[in-house]
């Protein structure tokens, strides 16, 4: 299908992008890699009248060692995360999950900030941010602010970003190169996850996040609580679907997704250990 007509603006800096968003309000959308936005526009599920292209804003593409965390620019592409030596060494789970996103075309064009701003519960990378208690740095006309990943994802394709704000950086706590596992079930390698489960060992505890088990990305808190109480990984995994609202679509029923969540969480916990 063909998108509705729109004006096209190229921003050469983050400040220019924020100014354009402030000028056009709800009618404007940021275009980074376009891997999420363009398909929605073709289906006319998104109908912006102004596209603000930030793909050339090089100041937002970087990975910097921040001491206890990695500072990742919003325009850092998935492929760069997957192949970065510093990411592999200091936060291996981020590199591993980035390597699982879509196909090579998506990984070479898609950006971390774009994926997070899209807020799709079937996306892979929000699970990493949730599991590691990452923070999202955003900028708007009222200045910068910091949003915890747990507060960033609000509802289906809805985040805490205001219409005139943009993501500038993700701060991801370090967790080393081991002690994690990501299990994803999908029909084809490039498809969205039918269900995904991420387990990460950090700060003496095991964190578990779920993909496509609700209207927003989720932590499997019932599993984490069971592990903290001394349950075995197999026994804890039984609680994987508790507190979730699995969608019902052509790919799977809620009951099948609940079953997948239990199986994948059990596998992820075993592999992470």
């Amino acid at each position: 299908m063909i998108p509705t007509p729109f004006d096209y603006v190229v921003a050469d800096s983050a400040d220019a992008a924020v100014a354009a968003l402030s000028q056009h309000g709800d009618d404007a959308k940021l275009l980074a890699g376009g891997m999420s936005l363009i398909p929605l526009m073709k289906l006319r599920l998104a109908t912006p009248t102004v596209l603000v292209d930030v793909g050339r804003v090089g100041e937002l593409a970087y990975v910097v060692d921040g001491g206890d965390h990695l500072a990742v620019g919003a325009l850092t592409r998935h492929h760069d995360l997957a192949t970065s030596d510093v990411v592999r060494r200091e936060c291996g789970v981020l590199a591993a999950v980035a390597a699982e996103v879509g196909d090579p075309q998506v990984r070479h064009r898609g950006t971390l900030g774009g994926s997070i701003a899209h807020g799709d519960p079937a996306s892979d990378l929000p699970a990493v941010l949730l599991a590691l208690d990452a923070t999202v740095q955003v900028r708007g006309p009222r200045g910068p602010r910091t949003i915890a990943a747990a507060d960033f994802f609000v509802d289906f394709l809805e985040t805490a970003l205001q219409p005139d704000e943009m993501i500038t950086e993700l701060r991801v706590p370090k967790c080393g190169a081991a002690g994690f596992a990501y299990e994803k079930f999908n029909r084809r390698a490039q498809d969205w996850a039918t269900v995904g489960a991420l387990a990460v060992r950090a700060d003496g505890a095991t964190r578990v996040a779920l993909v496509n088990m609700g209207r927003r990305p989720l932590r499997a808190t019932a599993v984490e609580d069971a592990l903290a109480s001394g349950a075995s990984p197999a026994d804890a995994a039984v609680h994987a679907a508790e507190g979730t609202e699995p969608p019902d679509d052509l790919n799977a029923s809620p009951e099948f997704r609940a079953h997948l969540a239990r199986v994948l969480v059990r596998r992820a916990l075993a592999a992470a250990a």
Side-chain angles (χ1 to χ4, degrees):
M1 295 181 64
I2 300 173
T4 57
F6 58 85
D7 292 329
Y8 177 72
V9 177
V10 177
D12 58 4
S13 67
D15 289 338
V18 169
L21 291 176
S22 300
Q23 178 182 352
H24 299 287
D26 290 340
D27 294 328
K29 289 288 186 183
L30 293 178
L31 176 68
M35 296 295 98
S36 300
L37 179 60
I38 297 301
L40 288 180
M41 291 176 62
K42 287 183 175 180
L43 294 171
R44 301 202 174 187
L45 297 175
T47 56
T49 59
V50 179
L51 280 187
V52 182
D53 189 342
V54 295
R56 299 171 179 83
V57 183
E59 66 186 85
L60 296 182
Y62 57 84
V63 177
V64 175
D65 189 328
D68 62 348
H69 69 275
L70 293 182
V72 183
L75 292 184
T76 305
R77 303 193 186 278
H78 307 318
H79 171 76
D80 296 328
L81 288 174
T83 57
S84 166
D85 289 337
V86 66
V87 177
R88 286 175 170 176
R89 182 178 65 252
E90 302 293 354
C91 191
V93 62
L94 180 58
V97 174
E100 295 289 327
V101 175
D103 55 25
Q105 178 180 345
V106 170
R107 292 193 291 273
H108 279 80
R109 289 295 305 164
T111 64
L112 176 58
S115 176
I116 300 307
H118 187 49
D120 194 323
S123 294
D124 302 290
L125 288 163
V128 179
L129 301 191
L130 284 174
L132 294 181
D133 293 324
T135 58
V136 184
Q137 313 299 311
V138 306
R139 188 185 305 177
R142 294 164 297 280
R145 66 184 180 118
T146 300
I147 307 173
D151 300 325
F152 187 79
F153 304 104
V154 176
D155 205 341
F156 183 69
L157 303 184
E158 181 181 348
T159 71
L161 269 180
Q162 296 300 312
D164 55 1
E165 291 180 323
M166 68 178 295
I167 298 174
T168 56
E169 184 178 278
L170 293 304
R171 295 180 183 173
V172 187
K174 294 180 179 179
C175 63
F180 65 86
Y182 182 47
E183 297 286 339
K184 179 166 71 168
F185 180 90
N186 48 14
R187 293 189 175 187
R188 300 176 301 168
Q190 66 266 37
D191 285 346
W192 297 99
T194 303
V195 173
L198 175 71
V200 183
R201 298 176 64 188
D203 297 330
T206 299
R207 287 90 172 277
V208 182
L210 298 172
V211 175
N212 214 5
M213 282 295 290
R215 294 185 56 83
R216 57 187 177 86
L218 299 171
R219 284 274 288 269
T221 54
V223 174
E224 296 176 352
D225 291 343
L227 290 170
S229 298
S232 69
D235 290 340
V238 173
H239 302 282
E242 292 181 13
T244 67
E245 298 180 35
D248 186 3
D249 55 33
L250 294 175
N251 292 315
S253 67
E255 293 77 17
F256 183 52
R257 280 194 163 92
H259 167 72
L260 280 176
R262 290 188 286 269
V263 171
L264 297 179
V265 167
R266 184 177 71 246
R267 291 177 182 175
L269 289 174

